[in-house]
């Protein structure tokens, strides 16, 4: 019988192989049965031919010996022929070969082409559940076809390798595989939450985070906004600022407008009904063809812990459709002049659809860089500043993302691993400094646009610019997240290694698929995503102070799945880190906890859990650091307190580890000797600290009393 011709035909050829074996061996089995003497069990020499249940029952009846009857002739039974003794075979289990491994539909494990389960797993296609993909479905389908993976557009009962969701991590219950959303990301990149996260970093590192405009959160900081604007105007009467108001939950330019003075009636009218962020408006942007534009860059957050960040080498540039003029009371309401949102400008009569990458109202970012380079601009410097902006922004977001992650996927419980594509909207100023406008958790991945054929009649038309950028981002994200990539690489390494004993393949057995095509991505272009972290970790790790504070916060949460710290957890944090003193009593600690928690709970809309949120904990941490290290800058105060807390907690962990070891040793000694001997020998053998020694004596004494 010929073996399967290739790995790709392995699964499909199993059934055909079993039929071929049956047909090829049937004549031999019949001939052997005819040649056997009567009374010899053919199963001793080989596997008996399977028969129908009715025939087997009749044969069992015929084979039963009947009682001797009167008149029977005395016949001496002929002894069976001597057969060679066979080695004892293990009991056969249905579905397992004699080697106790899953068998194919053929008779033996040797006929299953001899390939291991890992090798077969490395050759199977990656499975993708696209039932929740929504607007990114078309680009996702193209990417899956290019990768030659398996798509399940209506879901699948069995687990898939990758789940592609359109909006949120909570689109479905997933317990394995990989999902393209992080829990809490949608909440974290909202205007208010993002502004608060960046503000914390601006307090610690004001120079490093000056790429985000000064912001105020409304309605909570409305009075502060009015007072600060008045103070600056009093100091500089020539200052005539413009502010942009962005609703917290708004998207695609909805509800955004410009104002010149805080007393604007629209601002006061929307405070309670719709929380918002008000920012300084960038009045001197870089212009191309006299038009204002922004940049949509795609950033892949591949992993949260350890932190891995990738940036797409190309992005999109979205242009306004009206020539730019600096804001004045006459043009503040000119949306097509000041707002670069594609969803707004597409309704302008001046919007230009173009199949060219370097013309029209939507172009590739690489075409803009080429144009700037032709004018002598240092493109490497522009890219370096953008990469720095992206890394610093993600560092500001990760602390609270960790809290969300441990709440939805607690350690020790089954759950998927996460990754996510983020859309960074960046504006280049006239001096080429990049400014962060916002971060989108669900950037549009549509690769077509609506074109109005006649009044009120629209048609979806493919957009070559969108397809060029977005398909590459999705495809290469999938390539980076490929769960079978390591297995294929390991299998390829095994094939390259020389074998000690290598059988020559027969002429009838062609080469396997893995030999014929060792690299399944050979037909694809190079990956368009560039790793920037941890590649540049050394330059940015000093900024991760809040990340270390989040680790302390999570440690003392106590209950899995919660996101707020209770009063007992806060007291335990103070006690374990040795932060209380004569000047900071535990009563003062309780008052600090109550004041901060009450204020932050009044500012947050989510009242499901009571307790101190991460941002409240950061505020308390800043207060404690300023009390303990008074003569240092804030970031050095915080860094010193973080080091101190981590030091005391490491000592506590080490002490618990030693106590655990000594407790185990004491338990073994108690089982082998008297309680007194165990209490004396356990601390001496392990070098146990006095506290552990006392506890061991107490345990031994109590056990002796019970005995």
């Amino acid at each position: 019988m010929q073996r399967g011709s290739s790995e790709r035909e392995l699964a499909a050829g199993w059934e055909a192989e079993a039929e071929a074996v049956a047909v090829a061996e049937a004549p031999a089995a019949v001939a052997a049965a005819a040649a056997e003497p009567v009374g010899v069990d053919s199963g001793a020499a080989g596997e008996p031919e399977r028969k129908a249940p009715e025939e087997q029952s009749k044969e069992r009846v015929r084979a039963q010996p009947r009682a001797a009857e009167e008149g029977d002739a005395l016949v001496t039974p002929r002894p069976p022929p001597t057969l060679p003794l066979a080695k004892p075979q293990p009991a056969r289990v249905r579905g397992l070969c004699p080697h106790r491994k899953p068998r194919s539909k053929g008779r033996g494990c040797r006929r299953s082409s001899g390939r291991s389960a890992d090798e077969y797993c490395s050759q199977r296609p990656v499975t993708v559940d696209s039932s929740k993909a929504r607007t990114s479905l078309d680009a996702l389908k193209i990417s899956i076809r290019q990768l030659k993976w398996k798509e399940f557009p209506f879901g699948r009962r069995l687990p898939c390798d990758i789940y592609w969701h359109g909006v949120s991590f909570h689109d479905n219950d997933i317990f394995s595989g990989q999902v393209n959303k992080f829990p809490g990301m949608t909440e974290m990149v909202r205007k208010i939450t993002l502004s608060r996260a960046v503000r914390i970093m601006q307090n610690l590192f004001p120079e490093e985070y000056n790429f985000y405009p000064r912001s105020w959160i409304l309605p909570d900081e409305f009075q502060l906004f009015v007072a600060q604007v008045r103070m600056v105007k009093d100091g500089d009467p020539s200052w005539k600022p413009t502010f942009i108001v962005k609703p917290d939950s708004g998207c695609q330019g909805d509800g955004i407008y410009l104002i010149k003075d805080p007393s604007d009636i629209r601002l006061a009218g929307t405070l309670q009904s719709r929380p918002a962020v008000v920012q300084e408006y960038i009045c001197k942007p870089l212009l191309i063809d006299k038009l204002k534009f922004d940049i949509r860059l795609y950033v892949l957050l591949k992993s949260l812990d350890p932190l891995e960040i990738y940036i797409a080498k190309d992005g999109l540039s979205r242009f306004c459709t009206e020539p730019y003029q600096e804001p004045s009371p006459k043009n503040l309401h000119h949306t097509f002049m000041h707002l670069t949102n594609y969803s707004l400008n597409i309704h302008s009569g001046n919007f230009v659809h173009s199949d060219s990458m370097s013309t029209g109202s939507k172009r590739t970012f690489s075409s803009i860089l080429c144009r700037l380079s032709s004018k002598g601009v240092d493109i490497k410097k522009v890219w370096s500043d953008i990469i720095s902006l992206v890394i610093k922004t993600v560092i500001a977001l990760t602390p609270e993302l960790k809290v969300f992650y441990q709440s939805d996927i607690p350690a020790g419980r089954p759950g998927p691993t996460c990754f996510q594509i983020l859309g960074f909207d960046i504006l280049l100023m006239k001096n080429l400094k990049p400014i962060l406008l916002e971060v989108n958790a669900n950037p549009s991945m549509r690769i077509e646009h609506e074109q109005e054929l006649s009044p009120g009649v629209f048609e979806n038309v493919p957009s070559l610019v969108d397809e060029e950028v977005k398909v590459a981002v999705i495809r290469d994200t999938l390539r980076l997240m490929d769960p079978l990539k390591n297995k294929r690489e390991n299998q390829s390494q095994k094939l390259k290694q020389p074998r000690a004993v290598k059988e020559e393949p027969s002429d009838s057995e062609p080469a396997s698929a893995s030999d014929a095509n060792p690299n399944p991505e050979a037909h694809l272009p190079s990956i368009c995503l560039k790793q920037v972290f941890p590649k540049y970790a050394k330059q940015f790790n000093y900024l991760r102070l809040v990340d270390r504070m989040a680790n302390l916060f999570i440690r003392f949460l106590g209950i899995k799945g919660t996101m707020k710290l209770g009063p007992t957890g806060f007291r335990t944090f103070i006690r374990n880190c040795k932060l209380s003193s004569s000047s900071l009593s535990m009563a003062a600690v309780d008052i600090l906890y109550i004041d901060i928690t009450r204020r932050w709970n009044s500012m947050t809309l989510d009242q499901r859990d009571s307790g101190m949120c991460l941002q409240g904990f950061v505020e308390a941490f800043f207060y404690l650091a300023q009390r303990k290290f008074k003569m240092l800058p804030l970031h050095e105060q915080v860094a010193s307190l973080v080091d101190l807390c981590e030091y005391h907690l490491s000592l506590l962990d080490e002490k618990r580890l030693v106590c655990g070891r000594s407790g185990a040793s004491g338990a073994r000694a108690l089982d082998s000797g008297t309680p007194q001997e165990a209490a004396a020998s356990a601390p001496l053998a392990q070098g146990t600290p006095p506290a552990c020694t006392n506890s061991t004596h107490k345990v031994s004494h109590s056990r002796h009393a019970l005995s």
Side-chain angles (χ1 to χ4, degrees), residues 500-543:
V501 179
K502 186 174 181 180
E503 297 180 359
E504 292 294 333
S506 60
D507 296 337
S508 60
E509 182 181 358
S512 66
S514 57
D515 293 333
N517 185 18
N519 183 10
E521 297 185 356
H523 66 287
L524 298 173
S526 60
I527 290 182
C528 73
L529 294 165
K530 174 184 178 182
Q531 188 192 79
V532 296
F533 200 95
K535 182 177 181 180
Y536 303 121
K538 290 182 179 179
Q539 294 96 308
F540 297 95
N541 270 337
Y542 74 98
L543 299 173

Short mmCIF file of all heavy atoms in Angstrom, two decimals, residues 500-543:
data_model
loop_
_atom_site.label_atom_id
_atom_site.label_comp_id
_atom_site.label_asym_id
_atom_site.label_seq_id
_atom_site.Cartn_x
_atom_site.Cartn_y
_atom_site.Cartn_z
N ALA A 500 20.12 10.65 12.41
CA ALA A 500 21.12 9.60 12.59
C ALA A 500 20.83 8.43 11.66
O ALA A 500 21.72 7.88 11.02
CB ALA A 500 21.13 9.13 14.04
N VAL A 501 19.58 8.01 11.60
CA VAL A 501 19.19 6.93 10.70
C VAL A 501 18.06 7.46 9.84
O VAL A 501 16.98 7.76 10.34
CB VAL A 501 18.72 5.69 11.49
CG1 VAL A 501 18.30 4.60 10.54
CG2 VAL A 501 19.83 5.22 12.42
N LYS A 502 18.32 7.60 8.58
CA LYS A 502 17.33 8.20 7.68
C LYS A 502 16.99 7.21 6.59
O LYS A 502 17.85 6.79 5.82
CB LYS A 502 17.89 9.49 7.07
CG LYS A 502 16.86 10.25 6.23
CD LYS A 502 17.43 11.57 5.78
CE LYS A 502 16.41 12.34 4.97
NZ LYS A 502 16.91 13.63 4.51
N GLU A 503 15.71 6.83 6.56
CA GLU A 503 15.28 5.90 5.55
C GLU A 503 15.12 6.62 4.22
O GLU A 503 14.64 7.74 4.17
CB GLU A 503 13.94 5.29 5.97
CG GLU A 503 14.03 4.49 7.26
CD GLU A 503 12.69 3.91 7.64
OE1 GLU A 503 11.73 4.17 6.89
OE2 GLU A 503 12.61 3.21 8.65
N GLU A 504 15.54 5.93 3.16
CA GLU A 504 15.40 6.52 1.84
C GLU A 504 13.94 6.43 1.41
O GLU A 504 13.35 5.36 1.46
CB GLU A 504 16.28 5.77 0.82
CG GLU A 504 17.76 5.95 1.05
CD GLU A 504 18.18 7.38 0.82
OE1 GLU A 504 17.51 8.06 0.03
OE2 GLU A 504 19.16 7.81 1.44
N PRO A 505 13.34 7.53 1.03
CA PRO A 505 11.94 7.45 0.60
C PRO A 505 11.81 6.67 -0.69
O PRO A 505 12.68 6.73 -1.57
CB PRO A 505 11.55 8.91 0.40
CG PRO A 505 12.83 9.62 0.15
CD PRO A 505 13.88 8.88 0.93
N SER A 506 10.75 5.92 -0.78
CA SER A 506 10.52 5.12 -1.98
C SER A 506 10.08 6.03 -3.12
O SER A 506 9.67 7.17 -2.92
CB SER A 506 9.44 4.07 -1.71
OG SER A 506 8.24 4.70 -1.34
N ASP A 507 10.16 5.47 -4.34
CA ASP A 507 9.76 6.26 -5.50
C ASP A 507 8.29 6.61 -5.46
O ASP A 507 7.87 7.63 -6.02
CB ASP A 507 10.07 5.48 -6.79
CG ASP A 507 11.57 5.25 -6.94
OD1 ASP A 507 12.34 6.03 -6.34
OD2 ASP A 507 11.95 4.30 -7.64
N SER A 508 7.50 5.75 -4.80
CA SER A 508 6.06 5.99 -4.77
C SER A 508 5.66 6.97 -3.68
O SER A 508 4.51 7.33 -3.57
CB SER A 508 5.32 4.66 -4.55
OG SER A 508 5.72 4.09 -3.32
N GLU A 509 6.61 7.42 -2.82
CA GLU A 509 6.29 8.35 -1.74
C GLU A 509 6.89 9.70 -2.01
O GLU A 509 8.08 9.92 -1.85
CB GLU A 509 6.81 7.80 -0.41
CG GLU A 509 6.46 8.68 0.76
CD GLU A 509 7.00 8.13 2.07
OE1 GLU A 509 7.61 7.06 2.05
OE2 GLU A 509 6.81 8.81 3.10
N PRO A 510 6.09 10.67 -2.46
CA PRO A 510 6.62 12.01 -2.75
C PRO A 510 6.98 12.74 -1.47
O PRO A 510 6.63 12.32 -0.37
CB PRO A 510 5.46 12.70 -3.48
CG PRO A 510 4.24 11.98 -3.00
CD PRO A 510 4.66 10.56 -2.75
N ALA A 511 7.68 13.86 -1.62
CA ALA A 511 8.09 14.66 -0.47
C ALA A 511 6.87 15.24 0.21
O ALA A 511 5.83 15.48 -0.39
CB ALA A 511 9.03 15.78 -0.92
N SER A 512 7.02 15.46 1.53
CA SER A 512 5.92 16.02 2.31
C SER A 512 5.75 17.50 1.99
O SER A 512 6.62 18.14 1.42
CB SER A 512 6.17 15.84 3.81
OG SER A 512 7.28 16.61 4.20
N ALA A 513 4.63 18.03 2.44
CA ALA A 513 4.34 19.44 2.18
C ALA A 513 5.32 20.35 2.88
O ALA A 513 5.69 21.40 2.37
CB ALA A 513 2.91 19.77 2.62
N SER A 514 5.74 19.95 4.08
CA SER A 514 6.66 20.80 4.81
C SER A 514 8.02 20.85 4.15
O SER A 514 8.73 21.83 4.23
CB SER A 514 6.79 20.30 6.26
OG SER A 514 7.22 18.95 6.25
N ASP A 515 8.40 19.74 3.44
CA ASP A 515 9.67 19.76 2.70
C ASP A 515 9.54 20.62 1.45
O ASP A 515 10.46 21.32 1.06
CB ASP A 515 10.08 18.34 2.32
CG ASP A 515 10.43 17.51 3.55
OD1 ASP A 515 10.86 18.12 4.55
OD2 ASP A 515 10.27 16.29 3.51
N ALA A 516 8.36 20.54 0.83
CA ALA A 516 8.19 21.27 -0.42
C ALA A 516 8.09 22.77 -0.20
O ALA A 516 8.58 23.56 -0.98
CB ALA A 516 6.94 20.77 -1.14
N ASN A 517 7.44 23.17 0.91
CA ASN A 517 7.26 24.60 1.17
C ASN A 517 7.53 24.87 2.64
O ASN A 517 6.60 24.95 3.45
CB ASN A 517 5.83 25.03 0.80
CG ASN A 517 5.64 26.52 0.96
OD1 ASN A 517 6.61 27.27 1.02
ND2 ASN A 517 4.38 26.95 1.03
N PRO A 518 8.80 24.99 3.05
CA PRO A 518 9.10 25.16 4.47
C PRO A 518 8.62 26.50 5.03
O PRO A 518 8.45 26.63 6.22
CB PRO A 518 10.63 25.07 4.51
CG PRO A 518 11.07 25.46 3.14
CD PRO A 518 9.99 25.00 2.21
N ASN A 519 8.41 27.51 4.19
CA ASN A 519 8.00 28.83 4.67
C ASN A 519 6.63 29.16 4.08
O ASN A 519 6.53 29.56 2.91
CB ASN A 519 9.02 29.88 4.27
CG ASN A 519 8.66 31.26 4.81
OD1 ASN A 519 7.74 31.39 5.63
ND2 ASN A 519 9.36 32.28 4.36
N PRO A 520 5.54 29.01 4.87
CA PRO A 520 4.20 29.30 4.31
C PRO A 520 3.96 30.77 4.03
O PRO A 520 2.98 31.11 3.40
CB PRO A 520 3.26 28.78 5.42
CG PRO A 520 4.07 28.86 6.67
CD PRO A 520 5.49 28.58 6.27
N GLU A 521 4.85 31.68 4.50
CA GLU A 521 4.68 33.11 4.26
C GLU A 521 5.60 33.62 3.16
O GLU A 521 5.77 34.83 3.01
CB GLU A 521 4.95 33.89 5.56
CG GLU A 521 3.99 33.56 6.69
CD GLU A 521 4.22 34.42 7.91
OE1 GLU A 521 5.19 35.22 7.90
OE2 GLU A 521 3.45 34.31 8.88
N ALA A 522 6.15 32.70 2.38
CA ALA A 522 7.10 33.12 1.35
C ALA A 522 6.44 34.00 0.29
O ALA A 522 7.11 34.84 -0.32
CB ALA A 522 7.73 31.88 0.69
N HIS A 523 5.12 33.82 0.07
CA HIS A 523 4.43 34.58 -0.96
C HIS A 523 3.97 35.95 -0.48
O HIS A 523 3.43 36.73 -1.27
CB HIS A 523 3.22 33.78 -1.46
CG HIS A 523 2.16 33.61 -0.41
ND1 HIS A 523 2.32 32.75 0.67
CD2 HIS A 523 0.93 34.18 -0.27
CE1 HIS A 523 1.24 32.79 1.42
NE2 HIS A 523 0.39 33.66 0.89
N LEU A 524 4.17 36.25 0.81
CA LEU A 524 3.66 37.49 1.38
C LEU A 524 4.75 38.57 1.42
O LEU A 524 5.93 38.25 1.50
CB LEU A 524 3.15 37.25 2.81
CG LEU A 524 1.98 36.27 2.95
CD1 LEU A 524 1.70 36.00 4.42
CD2 LEU A 524 0.73 36.81 2.26
N PRO A 525 4.35 39.84 1.38
CA PRO A 525 5.35 40.92 1.53
C PRO A 525 5.88 40.97 2.95
O PRO A 525 5.35 40.33 3.86
CB PRO A 525 4.55 42.19 1.18
CG PRO A 525 3.13 41.84 1.46
CD PRO A 525 2.99 40.38 1.16
N SER A 526 6.93 41.75 3.16
CA SER A 526 7.50 41.89 4.50
C SER A 526 6.48 42.55 5.43
O SER A 526 5.61 43.31 5.00
CB SER A 526 8.78 42.73 4.45
OG SER A 526 8.51 44.03 3.94
N ILE A 527 6.59 42.26 6.72
CA ILE A 527 5.63 42.75 7.70
C ILE A 527 5.71 44.27 7.81
O ILE A 527 6.80 44.84 7.93
CB ILE A 527 5.87 42.08 9.06
CG1 ILE A 527 5.49 40.60 8.99
CG2 ILE A 527 5.07 42.76 10.16
CD1 ILE A 527 5.63 39.84 10.28
N CYS A 528 4.55 44.92 7.77
CA CYS A 528 4.50 46.39 7.77
C CYS A 528 4.51 46.96 9.18
O CYS A 528 4.49 48.19 9.33
CB CYS A 528 3.26 46.87 7.02
SG CYS A 528 1.72 46.62 7.93
N LEU A 529 4.50 46.12 10.21
CA LEU A 529 4.48 46.58 11.59
C LEU A 529 5.89 46.51 12.18
O LEU A 529 6.55 45.47 12.11
CB LEU A 529 3.52 45.72 12.43
CG LEU A 529 2.05 45.85 12.04
CD1 LEU A 529 1.23 44.72 12.64
CD2 LEU A 529 1.48 47.18 12.48
N LYS A 530 6.32 47.60 12.76
CA LYS A 530 7.67 47.71 13.32
C LYS A 530 7.60 47.74 14.84
O LYS A 530 6.84 48.52 15.43
CB LYS A 530 8.33 49.01 12.81
CG LYS A 530 9.69 49.29 13.44
CD LYS A 530 10.22 50.64 12.97
CE LYS A 530 11.56 50.98 13.63
NZ LYS A 530 12.06 52.30 13.22
N GLN A 531 8.38 46.88 15.48
CA GLN A 531 8.39 46.85 16.94
C GLN A 531 9.14 48.07 17.48
O GLN A 531 10.25 48.38 17.04
CB GLN A 531 9.06 45.59 17.47
CG GLN A 531 8.92 45.43 18.98
CD GLN A 531 9.79 44.35 19.56
OE1 GLN A 531 10.99 44.54 19.76
NE2 GLN A 531 9.21 43.19 19.83
N VAL A 532 8.52 48.75 18.44
CA VAL A 532 9.15 49.91 19.06
C VAL A 532 9.35 49.71 20.57
O VAL A 532 10.09 50.46 21.21
CB VAL A 532 8.34 51.20 18.81
CG1 VAL A 532 8.30 51.51 17.33
CG2 VAL A 532 6.92 51.08 19.36
N PHE A 533 8.63 48.72 21.13
CA PHE A 533 8.82 48.39 22.54
C PHE A 533 8.61 46.89 22.69
O PHE A 533 7.64 46.36 22.16
CB PHE A 533 7.81 49.14 23.43
CG PHE A 533 8.20 49.23 24.87
CD1 PHE A 533 8.86 50.34 25.36
CD2 PHE A 533 7.92 48.19 25.75
CE1 PHE A 533 9.24 50.42 26.69
CE2 PHE A 533 8.29 48.26 27.08
CZ PHE A 533 8.96 49.37 27.56
N PRO A 534 9.55 46.17 23.28
CA PRO A 534 10.66 46.61 24.14
C PRO A 534 11.95 47.01 23.41
O PRO A 534 12.98 47.15 24.06
CB PRO A 534 10.92 45.37 24.99
CG PRO A 534 10.53 44.22 24.12
CD PRO A 534 9.37 44.70 23.31
N LYS A 535 11.89 47.20 22.10
CA LYS A 535 13.11 47.56 21.37
C LYS A 535 13.77 48.79 21.96
O LYS A 535 15.00 48.85 22.09
CB LYS A 535 12.77 47.78 19.90
CG LYS A 535 13.98 48.11 19.04
CD LYS A 535 13.60 48.25 17.58
CE LYS A 535 14.82 48.57 16.72
NZ LYS A 535 14.46 48.71 15.29
N TYR A 536 12.96 49.80 22.30
CA TYR A 536 13.50 51.04 22.86
C TYR A 536 13.17 51.16 24.36
O TYR A 536 12.99 52.27 24.87
CB TYR A 536 12.94 52.25 22.11
CG TYR A 536 13.22 52.23 20.62
CD1 TYR A 536 12.19 52.27 19.70
CD2 TYR A 536 14.52 52.17 20.15
CE1 TYR A 536 12.44 52.24 18.33
CE2 TYR A 536 14.79 52.14 18.79
CZ TYR A 536 13.75 52.18 17.88
OH TYR A 536 14.01 52.15 16.54
N ALA A 537 13.09 50.04 25.04
CA ALA A 537 12.68 50.04 26.45
C ALA A 537 13.66 50.82 27.33
O ALA A 537 13.25 51.49 28.28
CB ALA A 537 12.54 48.61 26.95
N LYS A 538 14.95 50.74 27.03
CA LYS A 538 15.94 51.41 27.89
C LYS A 538 15.72 52.92 27.95
O LYS A 538 15.97 53.54 28.97
CB LYS A 538 17.35 51.11 27.37
CG LYS A 538 17.78 49.66 27.56
CD LYS A 538 19.20 49.45 27.09
CE LYS A 538 19.65 48.01 27.30
NZ LYS A 538 21.03 47.79 26.82
N GLN A 539 15.24 53.50 26.84
CA GLN A 539 15.03 54.95 26.82
C GLN A 539 13.76 55.38 27.54
O GLN A 539 13.61 56.55 27.89
CB GLN A 539 14.96 55.45 25.36
CG GLN A 539 16.26 55.31 24.59
CD GLN A 539 16.31 54.05 23.77
OE1 GLN A 539 16.07 52.96 24.29
NE2 GLN A 539 16.62 54.18 22.48
N PHE A 540 12.82 54.44 27.79
CA PHE A 540 11.51 54.85 28.32
C PHE A 540 11.11 54.15 29.62
O PHE A 540 10.09 54.52 30.20
CB PHE A 540 10.42 54.58 27.26
CG PHE A 540 10.59 55.37 26.00
CD1 PHE A 540 11.24 54.84 24.90
CD2 PHE A 540 10.11 56.66 25.91
CE1 PHE A 540 11.40 55.57 23.73
CE2 PHE A 540 10.26 57.41 24.75
CZ PHE A 540 10.91 56.86 23.65
N ASN A 541 11.88 53.20 30.10
CA ASN A 541 11.48 52.47 31.30
C ASN A 541 11.39 53.37 32.54
O ASN A 541 10.61 53.09 33.45
CB ASN A 541 12.45 51.31 31.57
CG ASN A 541 12.01 50.04 30.88
OD1 ASN A 541 10.83 49.86 30.55
ND2 ASN A 541 12.95 49.13 30.66
N TYR A 542 12.15 54.45 32.57
CA TYR A 542 12.10 55.34 33.73
C TYR A 542 10.74 56.02 33.87
O TYR A 542 10.39 56.54 34.95
CB TYR A 542 13.21 56.40 33.64
CG TYR A 542 12.96 57.48 32.62
CD1 TYR A 542 12.44 58.72 33.00
CD2 TYR A 542 13.24 57.29 31.28
CE1 TYR A 542 12.21 59.72 32.09
CE2 TYR A 542 13.01 58.28 30.34
CZ TYR A 542 12.49 59.50 30.75
OH TYR A 542 12.26 60.48 29.82
N LEU A 543 9.95 56.03 32.80
CA LEU A 543 8.63 56.65 32.85
C LEU A 543 7.57 55.75 33.48
O LEU A 543 6.45 56.22 33.75
CB LEU A 543 8.17 57.02 31.43
CG LEU A 543 9.04 58.02 30.66
CD1 LEU A 543 8.54 58.13 29.23
CD2 LEU A 543 9.04 59.38 31.33
#
